[in-house]
Amino acid sequence: MTNDHPNTIMVVEDEFVIAMDLQHMLEDEGYEVLGPHVSVSEALCDLADDLRMPDAAVLDVQLDGEDVMLLAEQLRLRNIPIVFHSGHAKPEDLEKRFPGSFFCAKPCSAERLTQTIARATQT
């Protein structure tokens, strides 16, 4: 693991193949992955463990009909950068509700996602 980027990224994604792809992509880049979590409640439980705070989070916006905004609010309260990863959400709506957040449209290349995570964690 190099020290030129944060170590731990929380991944919240309910589609198994995409979740595994994100996990492997991030691990290949040297990140430790918290998750992937398939639900908001699962991710919130992980956030409750203060020993495992992520340096950033990659969130799918819709988790099997579940709204991820409660989790995003908790991340924002902890000053954890958020990268929304969605094929349905409007980036401008997310930016309005979560100023300073980032957005990657699905599908997203590994290079684009890791560059976005790097930008998110530099602010």
Side-chain angles (χ1 to χ4, degrees):
M1 168 94 50
T2 63
N3 290 325
D4 60 346
H5 59 70
N7 297 346
T8 307
I9 307 297
M10 175 180 276
V11 173
V12 182
E13 169 63 61
D14 64 336
E15 293 184 42
F16 179 78
V17 173
I18 295 172
M20 292 298 99
D21 188 44
L22 288 171
Q23 179 177 3
H24 295 293
M25 177 190 324
L26 292 170
E27 289 174 344
D28 287 348
E29 291 295 321
Y31 291 102
E32 177 186 348
V33 174
L34 290 182
H37 299 296
V38 298
S39 71
V40 169
S41 60
E42 186 179 299
L44 286 170
C45 285
D46 212 3
L47 263 187
D49 180 1
D50 288 337
L51 300 175
R52 297 184 54 161
M53 281 297 112
D55 297 298
V58 176
L59 307 180
D60 184 10
V61 175
Q62 293 182 346
L63 301 173
D64 194 24
E66 189 178 21
D67 189 343
V68 77
M69 297 309 157
L70 174 64
L71 174 60
E73 290 287 351
Q74 291 301 311
L75 291 164
R76 180 170 62 176
L77 289 172
R78 291 170 172 79
N79 295 316
I80 298 170
I82 301 168
V83 177
F84 290 104
H85 185 243
S86 176
H88 304 288
K90 294 180 180 177
E92 58 275 7
D93 293 343
L94 294 169
E95 173 62 29
K96 184 183 289 183
R97 185 163 179 189
F98 298 96
S101 65
F102 294 80
F103 183 83
C104 286
K106 287 182 185 177
C108 178
S109 70
E111 181 179 7
R112 167 107 200 255
L113 183 60
T114 55
Q115 287 174 351
T116 303
I117 291 169
R119 282 195 347 261
T121 56
Q122 290 174 357
T123 58

